[in-house]
Amino acid sequence: MTALELREKRLESISDNARLAAQGDETAFSWLIEESEGMLYRVCRSILHSEADCADAVQETVITAWRRIGQLRNGASFPAWLARICVNRCYRLARSRKAGDGFDEPQTRMQSDARLDVESAMQRLPRELKLAISLYYFEDWGIKEIARASGVFEGTVKSRLHRARKILSDSLIGYKEEKRDVTR
Amino acid sequence: MLRDDILKRTLRERRPEPTAAFSGRVRSTLTKLPQGKRRPAWRFMPASAIVFLGVAALCVVIINNKTIGSLFVHGMPPATQQLAVGGQPTATDMETAARETPEPTPADSPSSNPSAQETPNPSPPDGQTTAPAAQDTPMPTPDNPQTTAMPPQETPEPTPSEAQKTSMPDPGAPISTTRPDITKRMDEYIAEFLNGGIDLREMIVTHPMSSGSIAYGDKAYVDAVYKGPDAIVYEVIVSDDKTGSMQKYFENHAGKDGNPENRVLLRQEQNPGLLLFVLCPGLVDKDYIGSIVSEEKFNLVVSANDDIPSKLYIWGIYAVLEPSETGKFRIYVINTSPGYRQTGGFTILSRLYSDTAEGGRKLEGTYALPID
């Protein structure tokens, strides 16, 4: 079975289970959440800094999703819908923390430290760019889905992706050059 | 900038996975979901879709009632009643009728069958006579049941003359609920047609051929029948009653182009609303029609199109029989008049569907024809 067929089959399962969950089926809802667990984690990580905050955010997300799944119109869009709830919860949680708490200023850090690996380069991205990159590269989502999950226009997503790519690319190239110099 | 695929690969390798604490929190949350009331299935449907479905269902009911009611000026004939309830004269009924009614033979020709000559002629009231060919051919009127066989009704049928006067159904007649036979093969239907098993005495215009001249709801009457080995030609007169509006129309409009001769020509030489209605398995050449129909009538209807200045009023018509998806028929009536390639059609009782088709469209395929 090709990757595309697997993806379609998965989407079909998600759609079916979302329909059942909308009718109050807890098992179907649990399956959906377990399927989306990785995505939820990465969304939380892209916005929140601490593990404890991520866990709190996902708990609120799951409960909110369960209460509101009856309002979901299209079962196939469940992942984007769930991500949207998660993003909102994370932002709300982030706002409740002190400003700057746990979040680094990317520009200054990147300039001062060229020895960045991918993970830390990601961590130093502004959170809206981090979210776009996370959904685009980690979850393999399209622009449209990312826009829906983030609550912004598609053009904004494209712009964010472009900016994020540039920052990441610069930091990774700098990292590789420095690494090459050290090994000589 | 790094290439996108390289960036993607690099990032994917470092994709963060949920920690045990995170997964544990998810599991524990799922076990403690608040109990809500069970939602109905339709709740999943968008509100707009629910409204749309409701309105659509209402429209279907209203349009159905209006359409069936408006098709027949004088009410709904029994056959249409059957159709309205999903029934149809079954193939068995038709075969029974065909058995009971002998097929037309040379001996039934008008020369040896006085009843055909006694048939009321649907010519205009000014005493104008129809072309001789019409009189030489058995007319499928109720007075001459040998030319066509009516599908038997479940109720006692009115006498033919009564049936011709009005199409009002017998109010006490039970409505058949026989389901349509959609499995019957095309060649069987054609054979039934050509053997006169389907009544063409009264038709109704459902797709007017050009604006004004033949209108929706007008009735069409078969004036003569010409049978050939590959086709059957019905000479049809269209009118809202047997002597009525078509003649009036031609009287009012024939001289519209300023040429009074046209009016004279039409009134004297052209039977208003005259159509040659050819049923055949596919298109036939008009020369072939000419070989069936008397030369005079053929020239009047088909060939004369190029000669008569007022082409609007004269049609050469080919009709093509084609099975529809439902197993019934569509009749494509193609207007061959130069400059007037609009199409039209007739609903023949409830037995056939009519539909439009592009002018001059050729349909592929031939069918076996067990013709006498």
Side-chain angles (χ1 to χ4, degrees):
Chain A
M1 197 177 276
T2 63
L4 188 67
E5 285 171 338
L6 277 172
R7 191 186 163 95
E8 280 177 4
K9 199 168 180 183
R10 183 174 176 271
L11 201 65
E12 200 176 319
S13 302
I14 286 173
S15 186
D16 291 344
N17 279 290
R19 195 181 298 273
L20 289 171
Q23 294 168 34
D25 189 330
E26 275 186 39
T27 314
F29 182 75
S30 298
W31 183 89
L32 287 167
I33 294 297
E34 280 163 14
E35 274 290 302
S36 313
E37 190 182 303
M39 179 270 291
L40 289 173
Y41 179 70
R42 285 181 281 276
V43 167
C44 292
R45 274 286 299 269
S46 64
I47 298 170
L48 301 169
H49 189 68
S50 74
E51 283 288 327
D53 285 348
C54 289
D56 287 347
V58 81
Q59 180 174 324
E60 286 184 30
T61 301
V62 169
I63 291 171
T64 308
W66 171 245
R67 282 185 177 144
R68 295 189 184 167
I69 196 166
Q71 298 169 6
L72 179 62
R73 305 297 184 205
N74 177 13
S77 63
F78 175 82
W81 176 79
L82 186 66
R84 178 87 183 119
I85 294 174
C86 188
V87 167
N88 285 341
R89 294 286 141 189
C90 289
Y91 279 139
R92 186 180 290 182
L93 208 60
R95 272 199 302 273
S96 69
R97 302 286 183 263
K98 283 180 185 175
D101 182 22
F103 295 96
D104 299 318
E105 290 301 318
Q107 304 295 333
T108 52
R109 280 292 184 91
M110 272 198 294
Q111 284 165 0
S112 63
D113 189 2
R115 203 180 286 270
L116 294 171
D117 63 2
V118 177
E119 201 171 348
S120 53
M122 273 285 290
Q123 285 302 320
R124 286 169 196 288
L125 285 173
R127 59 189 178 194
E128 65 273 9
L129 304 192
K130 211 189 305 177
L131 177 66
I133 281 284
S134 173
L135 293 174
Y136 189 77
Y137 287 114
F138 293 159
E139 309 306 324
D140 222 7
W141 283 13
I143 302 289
K144 206 172 186 177
E145 285 173 298
I146 298 172
R148 197 180 299 161
S150 315
V152 295
F153 292 115
E154 289 178 31
T156 311
V157 174
K158 286 178 190 169
S159 154
R160 284 179 183 178
L161 280 174
H162 179 76
R163 279 163 54 206
R165 272 193 212 110
K166 192 165 185 338
I167 294 170
L168 280 176
S169 180
D170 290 348
S171 62
L172 289 172
I173 287 168
Y175 166 66
K176 280 178 183 172
E177 282 171 357
E178 189 167 280
K179 196 176 180 184
R180 195 164 51 232
D181 292 339
V182 169
T183 52
R184 274 178 190 170
Chain B
M1 252 172 87
L2 278 178
R3 272 171 49 196
D4 196 51
D5 56 333
I6 296 173
L7 186 60
K8 186 174 185 175
R9 199 172 58 235
T10 314
L11 287 172
R12 282 234 156 186
E13 282 168 4
R14 308 291 178 90
R15 189 166 82 157
E17 294 299 333
T19 59
F22 185 88
S23 297
R25 181 69 78 87
V26 171
R27 302 274 177 289
S28 67
T29 310
L30 285 173
T31 57
K32 293 183 289 187
L33 288 174
Q35 292 301 313
K37 60 179 178 182
R38 204 169 173 82
R39 301 168 181 94
W42 57 264
R43 186 66 188 82
F44 201 68
M45 197 183 284
S48 55
I50 295 169
V51 172
F52 175 78
L53 284 176
V55 172
L58 192 65
C59 287
V60 166
V61 171
I62 292 169
I63 290 169
N64 254 349
N65 289 341
K66 289 248 174 196
T67 306
I68 291 169
S70 65
L71 275 177
F72 292 89
V73 190
H74 302 294
M76 195 186 293
T80 309
Q81 280 188 343
Q82 287 180 339
L83 186 70
V85 296
Q88 185 190 11
T90 60
T92 317
D93 293 339
M94 305 300 287
E95 281 155 14
T96 310
R99 274 198 302 275
E100 286 171 358
T101 311
E103 288 180 14
T105 60
D108 295 329
S109 65
S111 57
S112 61
N113 185 4
S115 64
Q117 291 167 344
E118 289 165 9
T119 306
N121 195 322
S123 57
D126 57 359
Q128 180 185 339
T129 56
T130 53
Q135 291 165 357
D136 291 344
T137 315
M139 294 174 65
T141 58
D143 294 337
N144 184 11
Q146 287 157 331
T147 52
T148 54
M150 277 290 284
Q153 306 294 328
E154 291 182 6
T155 52
E157 231 186 272
T159 61
S161 54
E162 284 170 350
Q164 198 157 0
K165 281 177 192 166
T166 175
S167 300
M168 284 291 283
D170 178 5
I175 296 173
S176 167
T177 52
T178 314
R179 301 300 304 165
D181 175 15
I182 61 166
T183 58
K184 205 167 185 188
R185 292 179 58 221
M186 177 68 184
D187 51 0
E188 288 176 339
Y189 271 118
I190 290 178
E192 202 170 292
F193 246 110
L194 299 181
N195 289 329
I198 294 176
D199 190 355
L200 290 176
R201 280 175 302 176
E202 187 176 281
M203 296 179 277
I204 192 158
V205 174
T206 55
H207 294 83
M209 293 184 189
S210 63
S211 55
S213 52
I214 293 182
Y216 182 91
D218 279 353
K219 286 187 178 177
Y221 300 93
V222 173
D223 194 37
V225 180
Y226 306 90
K227 244 179 172 181
D230 292 331
I232 186 164
V233 181
Y234 292 89
E235 183 189 313
V236 175
I237 294 176
V238 181
S239 172
D240 62 352
D241 56 57
K242 268 229 150 177
T243 57
S245 68
M246 284 307 297
Q247 177 63 19
K248 274 186 197 161
Y249 178 85
F250 282 100
E251 283 176 355
N252 291 337
H253 293 84
K256 207 174 181 179
D257 57 1
N259 184 357
E261 286 181 10
N262 288 347
R263 183 172 173 173
V264 174
L265 185 69
L266 284 163
R267 288 190 62 190
Q268 291 182 352
E269 297 184 17
Q270 172 62 23
N271 193 346
L274 178 67
L275 311 170
L276 289 186
F277 195 69
V278 185
L279 293 181
C280 59
L283 288 175
V284 291
D285 191 81
K286 65 180 179 182
D287 290 338
Y288 176 76
I289 302 172
S291 71
I292 304 173
V293 183
S294 74
E295 192 181 349
E296 186 183 354
K297 186 63 63 83
F298 176 74
N299 287 337
L300 190 64
V301 175
V302 180
S303 302
N305 280 345
D306 293 328
D307 303 323
I308 298 177
S310 188
K311 298 179 183 70
L312 176 64
Y313 310 127
I314 297 166
W315 293 279
I317 304 293
Y318 300 121
V320 180
L321 208 57
E322 191 182 64
S324 70
E325 296 79 10
T326 55
K328 293 186 178 181
F329 284 103
R330 287 194 180 97
I331 288 186
Y332 294 104
V333 181
I334 301 162
N335 186 357
T336 59
S337 299
Y340 293 95
R341 290 254 172 224
Q342 291 137 318
T343 59
F346 298 90
T347 298
I348 300 177
L349 294 177
S350 61
R351 189 60 198 233
L352 302 177
Y353 280 157
S354 61
D355 205 344
T356 57
E358 290 173 12
R361 186 167 82 105
K362 285 190 178 179
L363 300 175
E364 300 292 331
T366 55
Y367 303 90
L369 281 177
I371 302 168
D372 53 340

